[in-house]
Amino acid sequence: MSPMLETLNTPAALIDIARMQSNITRMQLQADQLGVRLRPHVKTSKCLQVVQAQIAAGAAGIAVSTLKEAETFFKEGISDILYAVAIAPSKLSKAWALRSAGCSLKIIIDSLVGAQAIVEFARSRDCSFDVYIEIDSDHHRSGVRSDAPALVEIASALHHGGIALLGVMTHAGESYKLNTPEALRAIAEVERRECVAAAEAIRAAGLPCPEVSVGSTPTALNAVDLNGVTELRAGVYVFFDLVMHNTGVCTLSELALSVLTTVIGHQREKGWIITDSGWMAMSRDRGTQSQTKDFGYGVVCTLEDEPVEGLLLRSANQEHGIASFDLPGIDVVSEYPIGTRLRILPNHACATGAQFPNYDAVHRDGSIEQWARLYGW
Amino acid sequence: MSPMLETLNTPAALIDIARMQSNITRMQLQADQLGVRLRPHVKTSKCLQVVQAQIAAGAAGIAVSTLKEAETFFKEGISDILYAVAIAPSKLSKAWALRSAGCSLKIIIDSLVGAQAIVEFARSRDCSFDVYIEIDSDHHRSGVRSDAPALVEIASALHHGGIALLGVMTHAGESYKLNTPEALRAIAEVERRECVAAAEAIRAAGLPCPEVSVGSTPTALNAVDLNGVTELRAGVYVFFDLVMHNTGVCTLSELALSVLTTVIGHQREKGWIITDSGWMAMSRDRGTQSQTKDFGYGVVCTLEDEPVEGLLLRSANQEHGIASFDLPGIDVVSEYPIGTRLRILPNHACATGAQFPNYDAVHRDGSIEQWARLYGW
């Protein structure tokens, strides 16, 4: 345990660098074994040092959730960037500014209207874009179905409009709701099959579609065959979290992000330990509420990151967390006196990280480095 | 409607300045009529221009939820600051740094251990603090009960330890769960009665207790008599939000904070309008889920801030929101084409504001100013 954890300002977002590195290695190995490139989604960390570690391990390019991420990481020398949200027409000028500055930015679209907006913008500025079409493989959110007539219409509009149609991409977000290896293997196969089918439908129409990009952390880690796929995307694996733990893809001891907190009070009769980790630190994410095991606002751990049996952060106000045990019988006032420091494993690493301007990254030797995190749009 | 709303980068956090000013006036009038000072809690906005408008309207000092807020607003010339979270012993040196720089910082505590830590710190540094004791008036969270023997023990430890015991303070957070004027009047009276009783118990022991500070937005607006109280605190009234609307203290047309968003896609058969206002913009706050009317992730409005009947933001991923109607029958693709701009009224203004580095503050004449917002600890 780092002695600095006793003196750091709280709340703080701690990264366990050793765990993070091991998570990065695990996903990179998985991609290597499946014979596909890995494109980490950096929306989880939004942090240069984390992304550099992913690239050092073998990642090929990154995916981003905002153009601000693209701008920031491009400035830091990363050029191969996929903006993985269907682009609003009003954002095309920002995207083009990045491309004309030399960024190999790829954008995505899932409608004919969106494709036409890209074609018109490119025509009016005499420029071009590299575009993926988003496929809806699991009825989760966005995307066009692989058997929808719109798919080839979009591909054709882009190609004949002078836009480089790079390929198709999908994200099986429904996988977050599953929790057995069998179910995750099955949805990973659906994700692959649907995306490959979309690429084949486009190719059958005589249009180019070289790339097939799929992924989510649970499907990426459970896929056994990615035949026809060229690229895997995943984000939250870099830290993992309680939602991922509930899907079965990681143990609690693989969670690399935790919130360092200080006990600031008690309500002895109620068994409440009041901490300075409210929702402003944890985020309001209650992702495990709808899963098999509801962890409240997080699993309370010792400073050594050992979960305390039965102790959860059960509720949160803005700057107050309330932790209590499953069962009565423990005098929280004497066991967890004011000033005690604890660590909380969060439901959702992307949401919890977003609450902090910086991470405190803990090296194996106990030294701590501040790593900046970007936010906003 | 400001024409700039058609070109602003989205998502954006819009402040309707006219509504904000009207909310500020309303609360200041209420405090004036009740014969107490108003100390706005700035954790809602964390924004200098908003706080300056509150002070211009008559507010006396501010309450903060973090020492970073205290540091930031003190640098901007605001000196009378109450840090309204029980202070962790490890934060005393930061608090003292503020006081020795000339800030009239007040801190709070609700335990003997906490009081002793303050006394010891002050003794070791030969300094002093101005302290309020936090009272638990409604069994909501922190604080000591007015009839608990600990109350006078804490007061005595502070006073005889050379610390200036300024008074008592409470926050009736349970009021957020109520929704009738009768129930809110009743809890406002409980808040007042319990806090005044605590002050009287301290005074009866021969100890000083000049100040009695109470407040939450719902109790502040429903209190009819604040006999014995010297100061009212409230925060979210400056913007209001859907949670407050559900308590009955404001209409939807008084909500001053909304998220500007762009339609980026659809799933026509499901009636889904996909927007760029995911939970990264709205926050994960689902405060209305446990109230009489669940507004999902927010009420969708036109650019003129008129709620669209039956249209809610029903789910949210990181950068994707999904809006849909209560009833089928509307072709969302033709009615809300890609590129359409909408505004979303959020569940919880404090949580939604926190997702943005800046507000876009809309003047009555349609001009827009960027107002910075602080974050972190």
Side-chain angles (χ1 to χ4, degrees), chain A residues 9-219:
Chain A
N9 189 32
T10 60
L14 304 180
I15 295 176
D16 181 316
I17 297 178
R19 290 183 181 190
M20 178 191 88
Q21 285 290 1
S22 150
N23 298 339
I24 289 172
T25 304
R26 179 178 166 202
M27 186 63 85
Q28 187 64 53
L29 272 174
Q30 172 73 351
D32 293 349
Q33 277 163 8
L34 290 163
V36 294
R37 298 191 310 269
L38 176 64
R39 182 187 292 279
H41 204 317
V42 304
K43 77 187 179 81
T44 300
S45 74
K46 300 202 186 192
C47 171
L48 181 64
Q49 289 86 343
V50 174
V51 175
Q52 283 172 334
Q54 291 171 306
I55 290 171
I62 60 172
V64 298
S65 67
T66 64
L67 287 174
K68 188 163 181 180
E69 289 161 57
E71 290 161 350
T72 306
F73 290 112
F74 176 61
K75 264 187 212 140
E76 298 291 351
I78 298 169
S79 179
D80 180 358
I81 301 177
L82 171 68
Y83 171 44
V85 177
I87 194 160
S90 57
K91 290 174 183 156
L92 286 167
S93 56
K94 256 194 183 194
W96 176 242
L98 272 163
R99 283 178 63 86
S100 56
C103 178
S104 174
L105 181 76
K106 291 110 177 129
I107 58 178
I108 75 167
I109 204 71
D110 69 349
S111 67
L112 194 55
V113 172
Q116 283 161 344
I118 295 173
V119 168
E120 279 159 36
F121 182 96
R123 209 164 269 162
S124 72
R125 308 282 184 106
D126 196 21
C127 66
S128 187
F129 287 100
D130 293 338
V131 179
Y132 282 73
I133 300 174
E134 184 175 11
I135 306 304
D136 176 14
S137 57
D138 65 347
H139 302 279
H140 172 62
R141 184 174 67 198
S142 310
V144 57
R145 298 287 301 171
S146 65
D147 58 359
L151 175 62
V152 174
E153 288 168 29
I154 296 167
S156 173
L158 290 169
H159 181 70
H160 295 114
I163 302 297
L165 177 56
L166 279 204
V168 286
M169 57 84 73
T170 195
H171 165 65
E174 286 293 295
S175 64
Y176 283 44
K177 300 178 183 163
L178 307 175
N179 59 8
T180 66
E182 299 70 35
L184 289 170
R185 274 200 297 275
I187 194 168
E189 172 54 16
V190 168
E191 187 182 51
R192 183 203 69 81
R193 191 187 64 214
E194 289 298 310
C195 207
V196 169
E200 283 168 357
I202 292 169
R203 292 168 192 151
L207 297 164
C209 188
E211 300 291 340
V212 178
S213 173
V214 304
S216 74
T217 286
T219 54

Side-chain angles (χ1 to χ4, degrees), chain B residues 28 30 34 72 90 96 99 164 185 192 256 271 280 317 331:
Chain B
Q28 188 64 52
Q30 171 74 350
L34 290 164
T72 306
S90 57
W96 176 242
R99 283 179 62 86
R185 274 200 296 275
R192 183 203 69 81
M280 188 60 84
N317 298 142
D331 178 26

Side-chain angles (χ1 to χ4, degrees), chain B residues 113-314:
Chain B
V113 172
Q116 284 161 345
I118 295 172
V119 169
E120 279 159 34
F121 182 95
R123 209 164 269 165
S124 73
R125 307 282 184 105
D126 197 21
C127 66
S128 187
F129 287 100
D130 293 338
V131 179
Y132 283 72
I133 300 174
E134 184 174 10
I135 307 304
D136 176 15
S137 57
D138 65 348
H139 302 279
H140 172 63
R141 184 175 67 198
S142 310
V144 57
R145 297 288 300 169
S146 65
D147 58 359
L151 174 63
V152 174
E153 289 169 27
I154 297 167
S156 174
L158 290 169
H159 181 69
H160 295 114
I163 302 297
L165 178 55
L166 280 205
V168 286
M169 58 83 73
T170 194
H171 165 64
E174 286 294 295
S175 64
Y176 283 43
K177 299 179 184 162
L178 307 175
N179 59 8
T180 66
E182 299 70 34
L184 289 170
R185 274 200 296 275
I187 194 167
E189 171 53 17
V190 169
E191 187 182 52
R192 183 203 69 81
R193 191 187 64 215
E194 288 297 309
C195 206
V196 169
E200 283 167 357
I202 292 169
R203 292 169 192 151
L207 298 164
C209 189
E211 300 289 341
V212 178
S213 173
V214 305
S216 74
T217 288
T219 54
L221 291 173
N222 282 278
V224 285
D225 165 35
L226 286 185
N227 192 26
V229 169
T230 59
E231 174 179 280
L232 197 58
R233 302 186 325 282
V236 75
Y237 76 88
V238 73
F239 293 150
F240 287 126
D241 54 26
L242 295 172
V243 166
M244 284 298 113
H245 174 64
N246 270 340
T247 70
V249 298
C250 61
T251 63
L252 288 183
S253 62
E254 289 175 298
L255 270 56
L257 182 73
S258 62
V259 171
L260 181 70
T261 186
T262 304
V263 174
I264 60 168
H266 306 89
Q267 293 289 3
R268 177 177 252 148
E269 298 69 28
K270 297 174 183 168
W272 287 0
I273 302 165
I274 301 176
T275 69
D276 65 0
S277 54
W279 60 253
M280 188 60 84
M282 301 308 302
S283 90
R284 269 293 194 199
D285 199 292
R286 289 281 291 103
T288 59
Q289 190 175 23
S290 55
Q291 293 185 305
T292 41
K293 170 73 182 160
D294 182 351
F295 289 108
Y297 280 92
V299 168
V300 181
C301 299
T302 63
L303 276 192
E304 290 77 23
D305 236 355
E306 283 295 322
V308 180
E309 182 68 30
L311 186 59
L312 296 181
L313 195 71
R314 289 180 203 271

Side-chain angles (χ1 to χ4, degrees), chain A residues 277-281 284 315-322, chain B residues 140-141:
Chain A
S277 54
W279 59 252
M280 188 60 85
R284 270 292 195 198
S315 74
N317 298 142
Q318 188 156 340
E319 297 291 345
H320 296 81
I322 300 180
Chain B
H140 172 63
R141 184 175 67 198

